[in-house]
Amino acid sequence: MTLHFLFQKNEETEDAWSRFPPIADAAFNYINEHFGPYPYKQYSFIQGGDGGMEYPMATLVTGHRSLGSLVGTGIHELLHSWYQGLMGTNEALYPWMDEGFTNWAEAETLNDLRRRGIFSGSAQVNPHLETIQGYRNFMSSGKNEALSIPADHFSTSYAYWLSAYTGGETFLEQIKYIIGKKAVDKGMLDYYWTWRFKHPNPNDFIRVMERASGIELDWFKDYFIYSTHTIDYGIKSVENKDGKSVVNLQRIGKFPMPLDVEVTYADGSKEMFNIPLVIMRGNKPQESLKVKYTVAEDWAWVNQNYELRTNGTVSKVEIDPSGSLADMDLSNNTWEKK
């Protein structure tokens, strides 16, 4: 495949545009491996337009910008060739399946480039945490609307932007929280091979992720896309007695989710409890070998309260230490023994 870089060479463009080609080439390699191979013989990055805009086999991007801005915009628009182009996503009905998925894949790609020292900046354990905070802000703004609203029917451009871009990226990150990174990585490739050139809808995507993980996700799709319910869990109390403990957890929001709860014992050891929902019909597998991993009894999604029982005196409890859950109120997610 041939990459073309077409720009007006001057003192405002030469530095960034001359450094862009090897970065774009490395990005293509990562994208092809993780999201499916680009099927055409060429792609062009062209100076033009009034910002950044995707087209078949090309991106128009304004030229007078820093290297970081050129790379970020260029890679984002490039990835539209997958989720707007190859998938043929209906952007009027499902803008979050294009812009949101593109945002998610862009963050993953740029993070890998940083990890390998190809692009400036520090790689993060989770490059989506800022977006998840943006989603929290959106859902508490009073201007939030359901993702299911067609693109040109939102009440404000703010609601469209946050639903399509931030909402779609957070949607994928919450699926990863439910089923795990390995299943999501497999699912994103399966999605490409199953649905390229076929115009998938939300049900089609969810089915792919269900097959990749063996976990039911219809409930998640319905809550996240068709409602404005929010995720909010808290630690109600912790009772230590006779070398054992009971952690009383509470679902405060209407949106049910499985939980990762990290318990630190009095001797300093840690244990990660994964609490699945009954309606999942499965659980996320262990992803880290750093701490003991225990799958707890399912939480019946209709119950607001849950008792997590442990063998050991507890000194600290934390809901979602990774910060990946789009929980609205983090102030009640940690308990420490005084």
Side-chain angles (χ1 to χ4, degrees):
M1 186 190 69
T2 303
L3 292 179
H4 299 279
F5 300 85
L6 310 173
F7 64 99
Q8 294 181 327
K9 188 176 180 180
N10 56 51
E11 62 181 14
E12 294 183 301
T13 61
E14 185 172 5
D15 179 65
W17 280 81
S18 64
R19 294 163 63 190
F20 185 29
I23 299 173
D25 183 57
F28 253 102
N29 291 336
Y30 178 85
I31 294 167
N32 286 337
E33 181 181 351
H34 290 83
F35 308 122
Y38 183 74
Y40 306 115
K41 294 182 179 180
Q42 67 177 46
Y43 192 88
S44 300
F45 294 94
I46 306 167
Q47 180 187 350
D50 57 0
M53 179 54 65
E54 71 274 13
Y55 296 93
M57 294 189 290
T59 283
L60 281 184
V61 54
T62 47
H64 300 165
R65 55 175 71 217
S66 67
L67 176 64
S69 177
L70 178 61
V71 171
T73 302
I75 300 307
H76 177 90
E77 307 306 341
L78 163 64
L79 277 157
H80 277 296
S81 287
W82 276 255
Y83 299 109
Q84 179 261 349
L86 291 171
M87 296 298 117
T89 303
N90 188 327
E91 294 179 87
L93 286 178
Y94 318 118
W96 56 273
M97 290 182 69
D98 172 36
E99 295 292 359
F101 286 20
T102 293
N103 252 22
W104 189 87
E106 173 198 349
E108 292 285 312
T109 302
L110 294 180
N111 204 47
D112 179 75
L113 296 179
R114 292 188 175 102
R115 186 180 295 112
R116 293 189 285 154
I118 296 171
F119 183 47
S120 62
S122 300
Q124 303 172 44
V125 174
N126 186 337
H128 308 282
L129 296 186
E130 186 175 339
T131 295
I132 292 172
Q133 183 57 49
Y135 179 78
R136 290 190 188 102
N137 297 339
F138 174 52
M139 296 302 286
S140 61
S141 68
K143 297 181 180 180
N144 60 310
E145 300 182 52
L147 267 66
S148 57
I149 296 175
D152 55 352
H153 286 267
F154 283 92
S155 299
T156 63
S157 59
Y158 169 82
Y160 162 75
W161 179 273
L162 270 293
S163 292
Y165 290 77
T166 303
E169 182 177 346
T170 304
F171 172 89
L172 277 179
E173 197 57 20
Q174 297 312 286
I175 286 183
K176 188 170 77 176
Y177 185 85
I178 297 168
I179 68 176
K181 183 180 185 302
K182 185 176 180 180
V184 166
D185 289 345
K186 180 180 186 304
M188 294 304 285
L189 277 173
D190 290 348
Y191 181 51
Y192 170 90
W193 289 112
T194 305
W195 286 103
R196 66 174 190 164
F197 309 124
K198 294 180 182 178
H199 309 287
N201 62 40
N203 287 328
D204 300 321
F205 179 77
I206 285 296
R207 294 294 173 267
V208 169
M209 286 297 172
E210 286 181 331
R211 287 193 294 270
S213 65
I215 292 173
E216 290 195 18
L217 295 169
D218 267 347
W219 59 274
F220 172 78
K221 176 203 66 179
D222 292 341
Y223 273 97
F224 202 99
I225 299 171
Y226 301 110
S227 83
T228 55
H229 293 332
T230 56
I231 303 164
D232 189 10
Y233 283 85
I235 301 168
K236 197 172 181 179
S237 64
V238 177
E239 305 167 20
N240 283 311
K241 186 176 181 181
D242 298 330
K244 296 185 178 182
S245 66
V246 177
V247 180
N248 295 295
L249 302 169
Q250 183 179 23
R251 177 176 58 79
I252 302 164
K254 294 182 179 180
F255 195 139
M257 283 286 283
L259 291 184
D260 289 332
V261 180
E262 185 178 75
V263 171
T264 303
Y265 295 105
D267 63 1
S269 63
K270 296 184 178 183
E271 185 172 4
M272 179 68 76
F273 290 89
N274 176 255
I275 307 175
L277 295 174
V278 171
I279 49 179
M280 291 168 54
R281 306 289 187 245
N283 62 270
K284 177 171 63 176
Q286 182 172 0
E287 295 187 293
S288 173
L289 299 177
K290 293 182 180 180
V291 298
K292 181 181 178 182
Y293 187 80
T294 301
V295 179
E297 183 180 349
D298 290 358
W299 188 330
W301 66 276
V302 294
N303 293 339
Q304 288 184 289
N305 299 300
Y306 180 93
E307 291 186 351
L308 176 64
R309 298 182 178 274
T310 75
N311 291 315
T313 301
V314 170
S315 62
K316 182 179 179 181
V317 180
E318 185 174 6
I319 295 174
D320 179 38
S322 71
S324 301
L325 181 67
D327 189 292
M328 293 297 292
D329 180 9
L330 304 181
S331 66
N332 55 7
N333 284 18
T334 303
W335 175 94
E336 288 192 72
K337 185 177 181 180
K338 295 182 180 179

